[in-house]
Amino acid sequence: MEITIALALSILGSVISVSNFALTRKDKAVKDAKETNFELINFRLNELDRNVQKILDKLDGYEKEIDVQIEKAIEHHIKEYHRKV
């Protein structure tokens, strides 16, 4: 009888140890996954911000370019069609 009680306590202790280890690892894995996901989200948001800034810079450049072309076209129109005789 004494051997079976000792054996039962040993098995119970082993089960508790293994389950405690597994639960602790799971918590750490979930925590690490959350941190990694936040880092990934922040990285992607930063990349999107950079891309938007590039697009806005290009649009500003196109706007200036179009303004210059309009000015040239107006000057050409005035010279061509509004000459004083």
Side-chain angles (χ1 to χ4, degrees):
M1 193 75 144
E2 291 177 24
I3 295 176
T4 57
I5 292 175
L7 183 62
L9 289 176
S10 297
I11 291 173
L12 181 64
S14 298
V15 168
I16 290 173
S17 297
V18 169
S19 63
N20 188 23
F21 175 76
L23 291 175
T24 305
R25 292 303 303 160
K26 181 181 176 190
D27 290 342
K28 287 182 182 179
V30 169
K31 182 181 175 186
D32 290 343
K34 285 182 183 178
E35 290 175 1
T36 303
N37 286 340
F38 285 129
E39 291 172 4
L40 181 61
I41 290 170
N42 284 333
F43 174 75
R44 287 183 177 174
L45 287 175
N46 289 337
E47 288 298 314
L48 284 173
D49 185 42
R50 286 187 204 129
N51 289 337
V52 167
Q53 289 301 323
K54 286 180 185 178
I55 291 170
L56 291 175
D57 291 341
K58 285 182 181 180
L59 288 175
D60 288 341
Y62 290 145
E63 184 178 329
K64 291 175 187 175
E65 204 174 292
I66 289 172
D67 288 343
V68 168
Q69 290 176 354
I70 290 173
E71 287 294 323
K72 287 181 182 178
I74 290 174
E75 288 175 10
H76 176 70
H77 174 80
I78 291 172
K79 287 180 185 176
E80 188 72 27
Y81 297 104
H82 298 279
R83 287 188 259 172
K84 291 185 180 180
V85 181

